[in-house]
Amino acid sequence: MNSKSTVEIITEWDIVVARQLGRNEAKIIGFGTVEQARITTAISELARNIYLYASAGEIVIERIEENEKYGIRITAIDKGPGIDNVRKVMEDGYSTSGGLGAGLPGVKRLMDGMEIQTTVGKGTIIKIEKWI
């Protein structure tokens, strides 16, 4: 079942490509339309963060299987400025761009698992998973 695809995020159009790829993979895995929308929304947020804060990076989308369960893992990788206060970024309402502040906390709520690895000045890796 393992399938892995990567989309480089350099332009806003790349965000659209990552969303479409994520929706297609979620559909192939067997997620319903509501879950496909949640996955697509999470991908959009992660890709947009790469575009806005790191200028470039990549979204890796892969099908996963564990103990006869199927799911999807999305990994957002950048070599941007990193996150200096992960706890603060995960607070609802916190925004560095003047937005609503629903970003990463919203992504966490949409998915079943989330892991953030970040080093200031070197970049960030965020892994999220959704299971059927």
Side-chain angles (χ1 to χ4, degrees):
M1 166 155 207
N2 286 346
S3 173
K4 186 188 265 189
S5 301
T6 302
V7 178
E8 286 193 55
I9 306 297
I10 299 168
T11 68
E12 284 189 277
W13 179 249
D14 299 327
I15 298 167
V16 175
V17 172
R19 285 174 51 94
Q20 290 173 337
L21 180 64
R23 183 180 296 278
N24 290 343
E25 287 297 315
K27 188 175 183 177
I28 290 168
I29 293 166
F31 286 100
T33 54
V34 171
E35 295 302 314
Q36 290 173 35
R38 288 182 175 138
I39 291 164
T40 302
T41 300
I43 291 170
S44 184
E45 182 62 33
L46 294 179
R48 185 160 300 286
N49 284 350
I50 290 171
Y51 177 74
L52 290 175
Y53 302 114
S55 300
E58 61 187 27
I59 296 287
V60 179
I61 299 168
E62 59 188 312
R63 299 177 206 170
I64 54 176
E65 180 181 356
E66 186 177 292
N67 299 326
E68 298 182 32
K69 287 181 10 183
Y70 298 95
I72 191 167
R73 177 181 298 129
I74 295 99
T75 307
I77 304 164
D78 71 60
K79 291 186 173 31
I83 301 169
D84 64 349
N85 189 337
V86 173
R87 182 174 289 154
K88 186 86 170 158
V89 168
M90 292 305 295
E91 290 177 8
D92 281 318
Y94 177 78
S95 174
T96 57
S97 65
L100 296 174
L104 292 179
V107 169
K108 185 175 183 180
R109 282 190 294 275
L110 291 170
M111 304 301 281
D112 295 327
M114 180 176 190
E115 176 185 314
I116 300 173
Q117 300 171 349
T118 187
T119 303
V120 173
K122 295 196 183 224
T124 302
I125 299 171
I126 300 176
K127 292 182 183 180
I128 56 176
E129 293 179 344
K130 188 75 171 168
W131 297 93
I132 291 181

